[in-house]
Amino acid sequence: MRACGSFLAVGVLSCAAIACGGAHSEPEDQPPNAVLVSDSAGITNIALGRVEELSVPLLDANIVFSTRDLGVELFWVGDALLLGNGDLALANTGSGEVLLFSADGSLTARVGGQGEGPGEFSEITTLLGTDGGFLAYDARLARLNEFSESGEFLTQSPLSAQSAIVSLKPLARDTAGHLLAILGQQRYFLPEGTKRDTTPLLLFADLEAEPDTLGVLPATEWSYGGMPGGGLTRTEPAFGRDIVARGFRDRALIGDTDVLSLSVHAADGSLTRRIRASAGGWAVTAEEIGAWRAERVARRGPDAPDWYMEFVENAPYRETHPAFHSAVLGPDEMVWIGLVTRPGEETRRWLILGPDGQPRGWLDLPAEASVLAVDADRFVLLQRDALDEEDVRLYDLRFLP
């Protein structure tokens, strides 16, 4: 992968630094509980202040349909996408299919299937919207398959042999063919301690050519330890940090849960929006780390080996909570920000920022649920039960006038 030497690299690298660490003070003239939105050289800058103190309305959501209620079995949901015609596309990765649902919940098509032929999949990991349909990225075959909104296969675009990286995660694609992406989970190990993965921010100007590396971002944090026989193991540490990297059509949202500083980029890598705020960051209590250790042991079961018990008991942990949990990008650079929860809390509060940068409201959702996709007034939620069975739900969101 080449390091990008153009003017674009300067903008992206400085933006990546803003989104990935360090404390950010609020503007000196920012009143309490006020949101400041400004424009600088075509970049929208949003200063939220202390997020938990924002005075915005609590919103309601109505469920439209649930895959469990419809009797649709899911096998490892990889991604979801709300299409321009109102339908829902769902990557049912375990079965190698994209499921298409109408806006009212009817299952209208099963697209693809396991295989290597045109329109078939080995591992669907990402869905990206287009003007008339969607792209589905196959990580194992390293190619983008394009479909119409009705599920008709249109074209496939393989990546070059040099760029066919299994862990590639596409974030944004524009009509000029630019593709912005990162790499997924890394696989190196350490004897002990903690370390954050890193991932390059990649720009493909042409899928058949080697990408440019626009910057290096901090990614998932890991805790390492030894196993009997000289082996090594790792786990995500308690209250660890992680990357935020989500896409919507020709835009990508990038951040780091260590500090609430998010950036939105066009598919060509250029910066279009910055969001800065303070949130979370509370000190971790002895009760909270104790609860984390107990949950890890319970997850392993009553037959957890002694070496694992020792590893969990001595695993290092962060002394503060992350600044926030996650974020999701929607149309016209709408952003949802999921706040941090304390152990035992059953709901997570989400702040919804409109395209104008102003908060539109709070939404309380189950703490363990994942927001897969959003559009102007709908969202898709993934939940798993105690048996790890998946249920995807589509909701209508009601904004106050």
Side-chain angles (χ1 to χ4, degrees):
M1 289 172 283
R2 303 189 304 270
C4 181
S6 70
F7 73 94
L8 181 60
V10 177
V12 173
L13 283 169
S14 61
C15 169
I18 290 172
C20 299
H24 295 281
S25 59
E26 308 307 327
E28 293 181 0
D29 58 348
Q30 183 166 358
N33 302 326
V35 175
L36 299 182
V37 181
S38 61
D39 182 273
S40 175
I43 299 170
T44 301
N45 294 287
I46 303 166
L48 298 174
R50 184 70 188 180
V51 169
E52 293 93 342
E53 297 176 1
L54 290 173
S55 180
V56 293
L58 187 62
L59 304 176
D60 290 326
N62 295 321
I63 187 168
V64 178
F65 67 84
S66 156
T67 55
R68 178 171 296 162
D69 293 343
L70 294 172
V72 177
E73 288 188 284
L74 302 176
F75 305 95
W76 181 27
V77 174
D79 203 359
L81 177 67
L82 290 163
L83 301 174
N85 64 356
D87 290 357
L88 169 65
L90 193 62
N92 199 23
T93 302
S95 65
E97 297 177 308
V98 177
L99 306 180
L100 297 182
F101 296 87
S102 64
D104 63 3
S106 301
L107 179 59
T108 59
R110 294 179 178 268
V111 177
Q114 292 283 355
E116 299 185 6
E120 296 177 333
F121 300 105
S122 180
E123 182 183 0
I124 316 163
T125 55
T126 303
L127 300 177
L128 291 175
T130 65
D131 287 341
F134 63 94
L135 301 169
Y137 180 67
D138 190 317
R140 292 188 183 275
L141 301 180
R143 68 187 185 192
L144 285 168
N145 291 315
E146 184 176 4
F147 298 89
S148 70
E149 289 181 335
S150 64
E152 177 188 0
F153 173 69
L154 300 177
T155 61
Q156 68 181 28
S157 302
L159 276 70
S160 67
Q162 296 86 352
S163 303
I165 305 165
V166 172
S167 61
L168 189 76
K169 179 181 178 180
L171 299 176
R173 182 94 188 274
D174 63 18
T175 55
H178 298 107
L179 178 72
L180 201 63
I182 61 169
L183 297 186
Q185 194 177 111
Q186 308 300 300
R187 295 292 180 183
Y188 54 73
F189 284 82
L190 297 175
E192 61 182 10
T194 60
K195 181 179 177 62
R196 290 194 68 172
D197 281 348
T198 59
T199 181
L201 180 62
L202 302 174
L203 172 62
F204 292 82
D206 182 343
L207 294 185
E208 297 181 358
E210 191 175 355
D212 290 321
T213 300
L214 303 183
V216 178
L217 309 172
T220 305
E221 188 168 28
W222 294 100
S223 173
Y224 298 88
M227 296 173 58
L232 298 174
T233 187
R234 71 177 186 177
T235 186
E236 293 185 42
F239 315 103
R241 301 335 191 220
D242 205 349
I243 190 173
V244 171
R246 302 292 293 269
F248 187 92
R249 297 179 66 122
D250 63 350
R251 292 290 189 270
L253 177 70
I254 295 172
D256 174 6
T257 61
D258 194 38
V259 60
L260 210 174
S261 182
L262 297 163
S263 59
V264 179
H265 302 261
D268 64 3
S270 57
L271 177 65
T272 62
R273 180 169 296 216
R274 293 189 186 97
I275 301 170
R276 294 188 301 166
S278 59
W282 320 293
V284 172
T285 67
E287 291 77 13
E288 288 174 335
I289 189 59
W292 179 86
R293 296 190 197 282
E295 187 273 335
R296 289 284 164 157
V297 172
R299 185 188 302 179
R300 190 66 180 254
D303 298 325
D306 291 342
W307 69 263
Y308 181 79
M309 301 284 287
E310 182 179 355
F311 172 68
V312 171
E313 182 61 31
N314 297 313
Y317 62 92
R318 286 278 193 151
E319 295 182 355
T320 59
H321 288 262
F324 68 110
H325 171 71
S326 58
V328 184
L329 186 62
D332 301 317
E333 300 187 357
M334 166 188 259
V335 174
W336 287 40
I337 301 172
L339 302 189
V340 172
T341 59
R342 292 183 180 274
E345 291 182 344
E346 296 183 353
T347 60
R348 183 183 312 284
R349 179 152 286 189
W350 289 79
L351 176 66
I352 301 174
L353 301 179
D356 61 358
Q358 294 293 335
R360 301 194 64 185
W362 294 111
L363 185 65
D364 289 340
L365 297 173
E368 299 303 318
S370 299
V371 178
L372 296 182
V374 303
D375 68 9
D377 54 9
R378 298 180 303 163
F379 64 95
V380 182
L381 202 66
L382 170 65
Q383 293 182 265
R384 293 182 173 90
D385 62 17
L387 299 177
D388 216 27
E389 294 179 345
E390 297 172 311
D391 181 26
V392 170
R393 300 182 175 192
L394 176 65
Y395 288 85
D396 280 332
L397 189 58
R398 293 187 295 177
F399 289 103
L400 298 179

